[in-house]
Amino acid sequence: MPDVHTPADAALSVTIRTAKIRARGHLAALMNVPARSPLTEFVCLSRDGGSPHSLARIYMPRDLAPASVPEESSPYVGVMANLAEMRPPLADVREEVSVRLPTQEEAAVLRIGSAWAVLAITRVMSDAAGRVVEAALLVFPGDHAEAVFTTHHQIDQRGTEE
């Protein structure tokens, strides 16, 4: 989920469901783990008032996932901060953005037609050892989606030697 929040985020609420799953197929490849590795899946549905805003499926290795996460509707900013605190420091974040038609499940959950485009973002985060610590599959209805990408570069603080 985004690291920077706008005042509009305050109106969003998020419902989270968690499940213990085993990595298979595309998910095992995305997480860079052997098939059947234990993962925790967070399915997050954000709503703006009563209308669905986005659907996110977030995966973490089970040993990094918290023992409990609130499953009731919670404020967006609080949920995103909680998920960010669960993972170790990041060394690499890779995001892929595409526009595609929704799956049947996505169309039903987001209450959109199956012919409406969605903005799909796949984000994979790794720690300094190269371990994938989180993978997120984010889906937004394409008619009101916006993506902002910010990259913070570290400046080399070492002085030049003479």
Side-chain angles (χ1 to χ4, degrees), residues 10-75:
L12 296 178
S13 66
V14 181
T15 302
I16 302 174
R17 289 180 302 135
T18 60
K20 293 179 180 180
I21 65 168
R22 298 282 179 171
R24 296 182 301 181
H26 178 258
L27 185 55
L30 189 65
M31 293 293 296
N32 196 26
V33 296
R36 309 235 356 107
S37 293
L39 301 175
T40 298
E41 176 187 51
F42 302 88
V43 178
C44 308
L45 177 62
S46 66
R47 288 187 173 84
D48 185 2
S51 301
H53 182 267
S54 65
L55 175 64
R57 293 185 180 280
I58 302 169
Y59 301 93
M60 297 177 80
R62 200 170 301 159
D63 63 315
L64 296 179
S68 66
V69 174
E71 295 189 24
E72 296 178 11
S73 187
S74 305

Side-chain angles (χ1 to χ4, degrees), residues 156-161:
D156 187 355
Q157 300 277 331
R158 299 176 297 187
T160 58
E161 295 183 24

